[in-house]
Amino acid sequence: MIHLKAIKNQLPNEVKATFSELKVPSFLRQAHIHKQKGYSVAVIFTFLFSLVFKGKSLHQVLSGREADQWMKKDTVYRLMNDPHNNWRTFLLRFSTSVIEKIHRLTDPQTHLRTLILDDSTFYRNRSQKVPGLARLWDHALQKGYKGYRMLTLGFSDGYSFLPIDFSLLSGNKKVQPTISVQDQRTVGARRFKEAQRPMPEVAVEMVARALDQGIYATHVLMDKWFTCPKMIDRLHDLGIHTIGMMKNGKTKYLYQGRFYKLSELYQKSTEEVTAEAILSSIIVQPCAGQHPVKIVFVKNHSKQSAWLAIMTDDLTLSSQEIVKTYSLRWDIETFFKASKSLLHLAQETQTRNYQALLCHTTIVFTRYILLSWQQRCANDERTLGGLFYELADQMKELDWSVALLELVKIIQAVSEKAESTLQDFIESQLQHWIDTLPNYIKGYLPNLVSKCKIY
């Protein structure tokens, strides 16, 4: 039986230390997410956070055989459905705190720091009465679905990706247009109104909030669904550059006194001889934009006879740097895949409350941030402290076979100082352990086997 009042007892051992290090409950208090009585917000949040590690959905846990060991489901849903809870503030401040920790691990002169903007499907095909539910089109699978467009903003430095903000956007073909909450002054009501707005407007506001929070990044990376001269100008006015894939459409650009479409600009562009996939580049002035942009044409690996175009308003970057920076956009695609396949995004609860969906999505994003930070700590030696970093090049890794031999020597030294009865017991246990080792390990450790038998 798990003691609910002890938060750490609900978490797997691998996550306990990280959960405490990042001080997750403190950011709940900073976002003014609280309850008047009963179980604390931290306990319920930790319970929801740990569901994925139990391999069960919320309904399975609260309605199963051990349901009496947990809080009642009404207690959980009251927290999730409360429109006064500002989950956006919690996620934004929590992710900013982790990003600041990551900044201390990297050199700003050599590492990239970018914001990535993209949207993904949020399926609710079995729902009928969720507010704002709409019929949308999945461009990847080429089929329709019921649900939302999950617009997401994330941060990447080339090593770690952290989600910063999101919005569950509705569409024009609404299945359920009812209002989410009655009190329009609440945070939940404002986010539901946001779901009815155009995606580019919401995207610009997301970037502005991230920059106001103190997140430092040099570029915003986007795919062709967002990249346009007006979007680039709006982000440029916020003080951040843009790199995005372009549509080969009817938009015209000014070059040497004449207007050309993108396909015509490819013929005018300057060829670049590189060992990479870069074909050519050109600097033009968008007819609907204020700032000049650089367009880099690259090979399309899906179709050898075609090309792709990447546009940026940062004219100081070379073509190679533009392509290298844009390649980080793949991090958000990996994030979407992991969130849906491993962290049970949109699968853990069948709630019909829009505010509860925001709560659930925030918890899934929090899981990803913790796992991303944990992975970063495991792969980056500098997180172990300055002393280890300075001595890392001088330290030689201890071979595992040598380590086993040293361990046997220690056990033998302890045995020699013990009484005869205890000494016989240690010898027999050590020999039994050696005998039960797999043959492939015995083959690598002939000295260990022979020493134990001689002893």
Side-chain angles (χ1 to χ4, degrees):
M1 178 175 177
I2 295 179
H3 301 286
L4 293 176
K5 293 184 179 180
I7 295 177
K8 293 184 179 181
N9 290 344
Q10 300 186 44
L11 298 170
N13 293 330
E14 294 80 0
V15 185
K16 285 181 182 178
T18 308
F19 202 85
S20 300
E21 177 189 3
L22 299 182
K23 301 178 181 179
V24 178
S26 67
F27 291 98
L28 292 170
R29 293 190 295 270
Q30 291 182 27
H32 303 291
I33 301 175
H34 54 80
K35 290 171 78 272
Q36 294 182 351
K37 59 181 180 179
Y39 291 104
S40 68
V41 171
V43 170
I44 301 175
F45 182 90
T46 309
F47 164 72
L48 293 171
F49 177 91
S50 61
L51 283 178
V52 68
F53 304 106
K54 299 180 176 65
K56 295 182 180 180
S57 67
L58 178 61
H59 175 75
Q60 289 173 330
V61 173
L62 298 182
S63 303
R65 293 180 300 176
E66 300 178 351
D68 57 336
Q69 299 181 10
W70 306 94
M71 68 280 288
K72 300 298 182 182
K73 65 178 182 180
D74 290 345
T75 303
V76 177
Y77 282 114
R78 271 196 298 269
L79 175 68
M80 297 180 67
N81 298 344
D82 191 348
H84 298 87
N85 292 336
N86 198 335
W87 295 109
R88 168 168 282 160
T89 299
F90 162 76
L91 180 62
L92 187 59
R93 293 188 177 182
F94 176 58
S95 59
T96 302
S97 173
V98 181
I99 290 173
E100 290 175 355
K101 293 178 179 292
I102 289 178
H103 281 341
R104 294 195 289 267
L105 304 178
T106 56
D107 184 358
Q109 303 299 325
T110 59
H111 287 80
L112 300 172
R113 295 177 180 179
T114 63
L115 297 178
I116 306 177
L117 192 64
D118 201 1
D119 69 305
S120 183
T121 58
F122 192 95
Y123 278 74
R124 303 299 290 177
N125 282 327
R126 297 177 60 186
S127 301
Q128 288 291 341
K129 298 182 179 181
V130 182
L133 192 69
R135 297 189 183 276
L136 302 167
W137 183 255
D138 189 337
H139 295 277
L141 301 179
Q142 293 296 308
K143 69 175 185 179
Y145 71 97
K146 287 191 301 182
Y148 304 91
R149 300 298 300 179
M150 187 179 69
L151 178 63
T152 305
L153 179 69
F155 170 87
S156 175
D157 65 346
Y159 295 95
S160 302
F161 176 84
L162 301 176
I164 297 173
D165 198 357
F166 73 92
S167 183
L168 298 181
L169 301 178
S170 183
N172 295 326
K173 300 180 180 179
K174 290 184 173 56
V175 178
Q176 183 56 258
T178 57
I179 298 176
S180 177
V181 292
Q182 298 298 326
D183 190 350
Q184 297 301 301
R185 299 169 298 177
T186 61
V187 177
R190 292 197 295 270
R191 293 201 69 170
F192 184 74
K193 289 179 181 178
E194 179 185 82
Q196 322 305 319
R197 298 172 55 197
M199 190 178 297
E201 293 182 5
V202 179
V204 172
E205 291 180 359
M206 281 186 177
V207 176
R209 276 193 297 268
L211 296 178
D212 291 342
Q213 190 65 30
I215 296 176
Y216 171 72
T218 57
H219 298 84
V220 178
L221 310 182
M222 306 181 296
D223 64 5
K224 63 178 65 177
W225 304 107
F226 297 92
T227 307
C228 65
K230 290 183 179 180
M231 187 74 168
I232 290 178
D233 286 342
R234 294 184 67 178
L235 293 175
H236 189 94
D237 293 339
L238 294 177
I240 190 168
H241 293 293
T242 304
I243 302 179
M245 188 71 68
M246 298 177 63
K247 292 181 181 179
N248 189 8
K250 299 180 180 180
T251 305
K252 293 187 176 182
Y253 303 87
L254 180 63
Y255 178 67
Q256 294 183 348
R258 294 185 59 185
F259 290 99
Y260 299 92
K261 295 180 182 179
L262 184 61
S263 56
E264 297 171 334
L265 286 176
Y266 176 64
Q267 304 299 328
K268 301 287 185 180
S269 60
T270 303
E271 183 178 356
E272 297 192 12
V273 181
T274 63
E276 302 173 356
I278 300 172
L279 298 173
S280 58
S281 64
I282 190 172
I283 297 178
V284 298
Q285 176 72 41
C287 60
Q290 303 174 0
H291 304 92
V293 296
K294 182 176 182 178
I295 302 175
V296 179
F297 296 93
V298 297
K299 296 178 182 178
N300 188 345
H301 295 292
S302 301
K303 189 177 181 180
Q304 295 298 326
S305 60
W307 44 262
L308 299 172
I310 302 174
M311 179 168 61
T312 180
D313 61 334
D314 188 357
L315 304 183
T316 62
L317 296 180
S318 65
S319 299
Q320 290 80 4
E321 291 172 330
I322 293 172
V323 174
K324 178 183 177 181
T325 304
Y326 184 75
S327 65
L328 299 183
R329 204 196 69 82
W330 184 251
D331 290 348
I332 199 170
E333 302 292 350
T334 305
F335 161 72
F336 287 145
K337 179 64 176 179
S339 298
K340 295 175 182 180
S341 301
L342 303 177
L343 303 182
H344 298 174
L345 178 65
Q347 304 172 21
E348 218 166 48
T349 175
Q350 293 299 322
T351 179
R352 292 179 292 180
N353 188 289
Y354 183 80
Q355 181 69 13
L357 292 179
L358 298 177
C359 173
H360 160 71
T361 307
T362 302
I363 292 172
V364 173
F365 283 22
T366 305
R367 292 171 184 161
Y368 192 92
I369 292 173
L370 258 76
L371 294 177
S372 182
W373 172 249
Q374 192 174 42
Q375 181 187 36
R376 184 63 173 262
C377 292
N379 295 336
D380 195 332
E381 60 191 12
R382 282 172 291 184
T383 59
L384 300 178
L387 179 61
F388 180 84
Y389 178 64
E390 293 175 1
L391 299 178
D393 295 335
Q394 304 175 22
M395 294 289 290
K396 182 179 179 181
E397 185 177 359
L398 185 64
D399 185 78
W400 63 279
S401 60
V402 177
L404 283 179
L405 287 173
E406 293 297 327
L407 179 61
V408 170
K409 290 180 180 178
I410 293 174
I411 295 176
Q412 291 174 347
V414 173
S415 176
E416 291 175 355
K417 298 180 180 180
E419 298 179 356
S420 58
T421 305
L422 181 57
Q423 185 176 5
D424 294 339
F425 175 75
I426 294 176
E427 292 176 15
S428 62
Q429 291 295 317
L430 182 59
Q431 189 62 53
H432 176 71
W433 174 68
I434 295 297
D435 294 338
T436 55
L437 286 174
N439 290 330
Y440 73 91
I441 293 182
K442 292 180 180 179
Y444 280 107
L445 302 172
N447 294 334
L448 176 64
V449 177
S450 61
K451 282 188 178 183
C452 290
K453 289 185 176 179
I454 291 174
Y455 178 79

